Amino acid sequence: MFLAPYTTFSRIHAKSITCLDISSGGGLGVSSSTDGTMKIWQASNGELRRVLEGHVFDVNCCRFFPSGLVVLSGGMDAQLKIWSAEDASCVVTFKGHKGGILDTAIVDRGRNVVSGSRDGTARLWDCGRSACLGVIADCGSSINGVAVGAADNSINLGSPEQTPSEREIGTESKMLLLAREDKKLQCLGLQSRQPVFLFVGSDAFNCCTFLSGFLLLAGTQDGNIYQLDVRSPRTPVQVIHRSGAPVLSLLSFRDGFVASQGDGSCFIVQQDLDYLIELTGADSDPVYKVATWEKQIYTCCRDGLVRRYQLSDL
């Protein structure tokens, strides 16, 4: 089953687009590019709304807060920044990482956020005071992807050794997942900082996401998508391998997920369907990131295009 783009936006960036996200209301998109810019645009037509300027060097990751009015970004300058989507002002800058920030996650409504860096640490930040609440993990290996998820009641997340700061909001009963360059997928209690599991994969882990309170996905550099159950993580529930190209993006979608790879393939897997839906158009250019809003899927690619796919006709 193949699905061609409903529309393509070619005027947002001049070069490869490394990351994108769509606001919770579906009205706005944000994206970062190797052309050195980060921009906010109208999701319906790709029309430019704001340029977010302030990072030194490239921006690696950008996402909206749940409100849809604020953006979180991480850059090669080791800085994490919060921006107003309305007037493009940078309202907070977090400093503390010693290497480029590769991914972020937002805890609950966004009083706290998590970042993963090339410096091998994952940090928890207090947005209101623009302060670091702690190094959650220091694994000595680049953290390529991070995800935060609410844990099923049956999962023992352990207890924190010290009383958590009252500035930690929404961290209890949450799991933190780290996709690491050293072929390890690490899961720990976000508030407890205690280990839940450590899974060794076939190659560097690039990305990860939660599907439920106990199911998760993680993708490797050599093209494996591991589905694991946190309650019995030693043996994968399944391993999906479509090509040897790096798995670059994984996102929960309806009753399944969307994945993208370094060979331009992008596809939807749904639990109740025995076939994949292939999103066409990228040819052999890597699709770096996927974002969804209701029945729409947005992708960003090395060819500098944002593609929007419309699923309503399925």
Side-chain angles (χ1 to χ4, degrees):
M1 172 85 197
F2 295 94
L3 188 65
Y6 176 77
T7 179
T8 300
F9 305 141
S10 58
R11 303 220 304 273
I12 300 172
H13 292 287
K15 288 186 181 168
S16 173
I17 305 174
T18 48
C19 194
L20 93 166
D21 193 26
I22 302 295
S23 65
S24 53
L28 294 176
V30 63
S31 54
S32 57
S33 166
T34 57
D35 65 13
T37 66
M38 177 168 45
K39 295 176 177 177
I40 292 176
W41 34 274
Q42 199 77 29
S44 57
N45 57 12
E47 195 175 301
L48 185 64
R49 295 295 296 271
R50 297 278 179 264
V51 179
L52 306 179
E53 293 176 306
H55 277 287
V56 192
F57 313 127
D58 280 354
V59 179
N60 290 329
C61 47
C62 52
R63 66 168 70 244
F64 283 99
F65 277 77
S67 68
L69 305 173
V70 187
V71 167
L72 175 68
S73 65
M76 283 314 274
D77 55 8
Q79 294 182 32
L80 196 62
K81 287 178 178 283
I82 296 177
W83 311 78
S84 161
E86 297 176 296
D87 66 5
S89 60
C90 176
V91 287
V92 173
T93 298
F94 298 111
K95 294 181 179 176
H97 277 295
K98 303 197 167 41
I101 293 164
L102 300 178
D103 198 15
T104 63
I106 291 171
V107 183
D108 273 2
R109 285 178 310 198
R111 304 274 290 280
N112 294 171
V113 298
V114 175
S115 56
S117 165
R118 287 173 94 150
D119 66 13
T121 68
R123 290 171 180 257
L124 181 70
W125 306 87
D126 171 2
C127 296
R129 291 192 183 159
S130 60
C132 183
L133 290 170
V135 175
I136 308 286
D138 187 350
C139 56
S141 171
S142 182
I143 297 173
N144 297 323
V146 298
V148 170
D152 188 77
N153 295 336
S154 61
I155 295 161
N156 179 14
L157 298 179
S159 302
E161 285 167 18
Q162 295 149 342
T163 307
S165 156
E166 78 279 359
R167 302 291 302 176
E168 276 196 34
I169 313 284
T171 56
E172 59 187 332
S173 72
K174 297 284 194 312
M175 299 176 282
L176 175 64
L177 194 57
L178 306 176
R180 295 169 28 173
E181 184 68 24
D182 61 1
K183 305 186 184 183
K184 290 175 183 147
L185 183 70
Q186 179 180 1
C187 183
L188 52 161
L190 180 56
Q191 187 184 74
S192 69
R193 325 286 206 253
Q194 301 295 322
V196 176
F197 73 79
L198 190 65
F199 178 85
V200 181
S202 55
D203 203 346
F205 279 99
N206 292 330
C207 52
C208 55
T209 191
F210 285 100
L211 294 177
S212 73
F214 53 85
L215 281 179
L216 59 92
L217 293 174
T220 60
Q221 186 66 16
D222 60 356
N224 285 325
I225 298 172
Y226 291 90
Q227 186 175 3
L228 299 182
D229 187 324
V230 180
R231 300 165 302 183
S232 55
R234 286 206 182 102
T235 312
V237 178
Q238 63 172 336
V239 181
I240 297 168
H241 184 94
R242 303 197 60 226
S243 80
V247 181
L248 300 176
S249 179
L250 289 166
L251 186 61
S252 170
F253 179 65
R254 296 167 88 177
D255 55 354
F257 65 90
V258 192
S260 73
Q261 291 186 266
D263 58 2
S265 74
C266 188
F267 55 94
I268 307 169
V269 175
Q270 287 188 283
Q271 302 302 332
D272 55 348
L273 298 179
D274 51 3
Y275 60 88
L276 295 171
I277 299 168
E278 296 259 10
L279 304 179
T280 63
D283 294 330
S284 54
D285 274 309
V287 176
Y288 290 116
K289 195 82 178 174
V290 177
T292 62
W293 184 73
E294 292 192 346
K295 291 184 175 180
Q296 295 168 21
I297 297 178
Y298 294 77
T299 65
C300 67
C301 183
R302 189 173 67 187
D303 62 13
L305 300 179
V306 169
R307 291 176 176 84
R308 187 177 124 207
Y309 300 84
Q310 193 79 33
L311 275 172
S312 47
D313 21 344
L314 295 176

